[in-house]
């Protein structure tokens, strides 16, 4: 079943920060079998996007993460939990950064930051501030707009 494959994908990640090929494949199989529930679908795409990010494959990661954020006839990303939604934007910013597409990376990390602040999630907010500073470093820019000055 689709749900069973997603559970397999989740189990293969436990205890390891690395997304293995088995996780990637199980998440893909879950999606192919018609996985339902916005959060579960988004998680499957997120795992597949992380797999590519961990291998430096920005374009492939972008494709998976955009699928998680794009509505279809059977999928509404507006129903994803707010924290997962923020994390998808964060990961998409990383995909753009890996492709040296810094304006797109800034746009995505700013969306993630705004969402984390709305939720009052200080840990996530700091993680996203750190990512924004990493984009600055890669883009060869000084911190133009310190995160505390960004208007939500």
């Amino acid at each position: 079943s689709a749900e069973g494959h997603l559970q397999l994908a989740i189990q293969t990640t436990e205890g390891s920060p690395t997304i293995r090929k088995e996780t990637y494949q199980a998440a893909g199989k879950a999606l192919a079998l018609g996985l339902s529930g916005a959060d579960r679908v988004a998680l499957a795409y997120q795992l597949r996007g992380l797999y590519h990010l961990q291998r430096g494959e920005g374009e492939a990661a972008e494709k998976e993460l955009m699928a998680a954020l794009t509505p279809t006839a059977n999928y509404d990303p507006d129903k994803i939990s707010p924290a997962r939604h923020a994390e998808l934007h964060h990961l998409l910013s990383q995909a753009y950064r890996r492709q040296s597409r810094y304006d797109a990376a800034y746009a995505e990390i700013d969306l993630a930051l705004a969402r984390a602040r709305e939720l009052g999630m200080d840990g996530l907010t700091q993680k996203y501030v750190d990512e924004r500073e990493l984009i600055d470093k890669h883009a060869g820019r000084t911190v133009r707009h310190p995160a505390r000055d960004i208007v939500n």
Side-chain angles (χ1 to χ4, degrees):
S1 75
E3 187 65 35
H5 283 282
L6 180 62
Q7 289 307 315
L8 178 62
I10 293 166
Q11 288 172 359
T12 59
T13 64
E14 287 180 10
S16 172
T18 302
I19 303 297
R20 299 189 345 228
K21 187 173 186 177
E22 295 83 9
T23 302
Y24 176 82
Q25 291 172 330
K29 186 81 169 166
L31 291 165
L33 290 172
L35 186 65
S36 63
D39 241 23
R40 290 190 298 279
V41 170
L43 175 59
Y45 282 122
Q46 181 177 340
L47 290 169
R48 290 175 60 84
L50 277 166
Y51 174 85
H52 290 297
L53 282 173
Q54 290 177 348
R55 286 153 184 78
E57 302 165 351
E59 283 185 50
E62 175 190 353
K63 181 180 173 199
E64 299 290 351
L65 297 164
M66 284 302 295
L69 292 166
T70 303
T72 66
N74 299 316
Y75 175 66
D76 181 1
D78 287 340
K79 294 187 173 159
I80 299 169
S81 69
R84 182 170 318 282
H85 212 254
E87 185 61 11
L88 289 168
H89 285 291
H90 166 238
L91 295 173
L92 187 54
S93 79
Q94 289 183 356
Y96 288 137
R97 177 174 49 80
R98 299 253 166 83
Q99 298 172 69
S100 301
R101 294 170 58 194
Y102 301 119
D103 288 340
Y106 280 118
E108 293 299 323
I109 200 61
D110 287 346
L111 286 170
L113 261 168
R115 182 62 60 100
R117 286 195 175 115
E118 286 170 17
L119 298 169
M121 300 181 81
D122 295 339
L124 275 186
T125 299
Q126 187 57 53
K127 177 179 170 182
Y128 300 158
V129 166
D130 294 345
E131 176 66 25
R132 196 171 204 292
E133 290 173 0
L134 189 59
I135 297 167
D136 284 329
K137 185 188 284 187
H138 281 261
R141 301 178 186 171
T142 56
V143 179
R144 299 165 300 142
H145 305 290
R148 65 182 175 280
D149 296 337
I150 295 172
V151 177
N152 291 339

